[in-house]
Amino acid sequence: MTHAALKLTSQPSITLHKPHLNLVTKPQTLAAHAHNSCPKQVRVRGVILTVQGWNKLKTAKSQAEFQENAGDRFTLEELSERSELSLGTVSKILGRSEPVDRSSLQAVFQCFELELDKMDYVRPTSKKRTQPQSKIERDTTINLSSFCGRETELLTLQQWILAEHCRLLAIVGIAGSGKSSLAAKLASQIEPEFECVIWRSLKNAPSLEALLNDILPLLQTQKECSTHLTSLHRQTAKLIDCLQNSRCLIVLDDLESVLAGSEPNGQYRAEYEDYQ
């Protein structure tokens, strides 16, 4: 996983990081369609990439990044400028989350010298998804009624999580800069993509064992919950197993409570080294 950071200047400074870490050993950070009742299906305007089309674009994009950008991924802004499309349209194309005009797909393909074939895209046939509702567990509620802006940051985070399948993100900034609100807004936008969404605050600095004792029952079956895991090693192994078998978004707020410093790759406090 590559490291990336985006410094924001339009509002109080927040930095988005994709650290050199793996969620399976560092679980502490963040960070469809349905049929109608009648036989006739409701058509949806626009198209989305098929798996074939996405793989075709992803391969060409990776080659261009290696040849032109020293292997670093193109940012949304760079892709927007390159294709002459809006940030929102580029994010939809990369995330395959919402339909766009065929001409938009054509523009992205052309900027990587690709030809858009009929097998590269498909037209969704219904307005609703059949996927079950996400299970959501929060220990803190954040009021988003006054949330505004941060569109670029939200699109970047969505791209990293949904399109690039990044497993670990860190949102870093000074106190009061809006880190928690940004994470909460992001979670509200992408929660349908996950089977389970868990938000936990580390403000009271719980031990890793206490945190896992809290989270694991939310991910396990009723039968599994009857088996109490006594060692931290077994708890961590079980968490990894759960995350490998279900699509789950875990957001840990106030991570600085267990860190010795404010940097995203900083040292943990002595009594919280188990988090490493």
Side-chain angles (χ1 to χ4, degrees):
M1 183 182 301
T2 59
H3 177 281
L6 174 62
K7 188 78 175 210
L8 313 178
T9 56
S10 57
Q11 291 177 281
S13 181
I14 290 177
T15 304
L16 310 181
H17 286 270
K18 288 194 289 185
H20 292 285
L21 300 173
N22 191 317
L23 185 57
V24 297
T25 57
K26 298 281 188 176
Q28 72 273 16
T29 304
L30 196 92
H33 71 266
H35 290 289
N36 250 322
S37 57
C38 58
K40 185 177 179 181
Q41 293 178 330
V42 180
R43 302 294 291 182
V44 179
R45 294 184 61 188
V47 295
I48 61 174
L49 287 174
T50 60
V51 174
Q52 172 183 305
W54 164 241
N55 288 334
K56 184 176 177 180
L57 176 59
K58 184 179 179 181
T59 299
K61 175 174 167 287
S62 297
Q63 290 175 347
E65 287 167 340
F66 178 77
Q67 295 171 357
E68 305 172 22
N69 211 33
D72 292 333
R73 288 190 175 103
F74 293 128
T75 65
L76 277 178
E77 289 80 2
E78 289 170 335
L79 292 172
S80 174
E81 182 179 355
R82 190 182 184 110
S83 62
E84 298 183 351
L85 297 173
S86 69
L87 291 173
T89 299
V90 172
S91 181
K92 290 177 183 178
I93 292 173
L94 295 178
R96 299 173 61 212
S97 56
E98 297 180 49
V100 298
D101 293 336
R102 182 183 179 280
S103 59
S104 297
L105 291 183
Q106 186 74 54
V108 172
F109 270 53
Q110 286 180 345
C111 74
F112 291 109
E113 300 182 355
L114 294 174
E115 182 177 348
L116 184 66
D117 299 324
K118 289 184 178 180
M119 297 299 293
D120 294 331
Y121 61 90
V122 65
R123 186 183 300 275
T125 56
S126 172
K127 292 182 179 179
K128 296 183 180 180
R129 297 181 176 181
T130 55
Q131 67 185 69
Q133 185 174 5
S134 303
K135 176 182 179 181
I136 302 174
E137 290 284 346
R138 296 188 178 95
D139 66 352
T140 304
T141 300
I142 296 179
N143 186 353
L144 296 175
S145 60
S146 60
F147 184 92
C148 62
R150 300 290 193 195
E151 289 86 357
T152 299
E153 295 89 322
L154 287 168
L155 288 172
T156 298
L157 290 166
Q158 288 179 27
Q159 180 191 2
W160 287 353
I161 295 173
L162 301 180
E164 301 180 14
H165 306 293
C166 182
R167 296 181 179 181
L168 177 66
L169 297 175
I171 302 177
V172 184
I174 62 173
S177 58
K179 303 183 298 297
S180 297
S181 294
L182 177 60
K185 184 66 174 180
L186 172 70
S188 70
Q189 292 178 338
I190 66 175
E191 63 187 28
E193 304 294 329
F194 295 88
E195 299 171 39
C196 181
V197 177
I198 300 173
W199 180 293
R200 287 294 182 265
S201 171
L202 303 185
K203 186 174 183 179
N204 294 325
S207 66
L208 180 59
E209 182 178 4
L211 179 65
L212 293 178
N213 281 333
D214 178 30
I215 289 179
L216 280 175
L218 304 175
L219 301 174
Q220 295 175 296
T221 63
Q222 186 173 1
K223 181 178 180 180
E224 289 174 322
C225 288
S226 63
T227 303
H228 183 65
L229 302 177
T230 55
S231 72
L232 183 60
H233 175 74
R234 293 182 64 188
Q235 288 178 318
T236 304
K238 187 59 185 177
L239 175 65
I240 294 171
D241 181 65
C242 290
L243 295 179
Q244 289 176 336
N245 289 282
S246 63
R247 188 162 168 79
C248 180
L249 174 66
I250 300 178
V251 184
L252 299 185
D253 197 12
D254 303 304
L255 181 64
E256 63 273 13
S257 299
V258 298
L259 292 175
S262 59
E263 291 301 316
N265 293 322
Q267 298 295 316
Y268 289 89
R269 289 162 54 185
E271 62 271 35
Y272 294 98
E273 291 180 350
D274 285 339
Y275 273 89
Q276 296 185 63

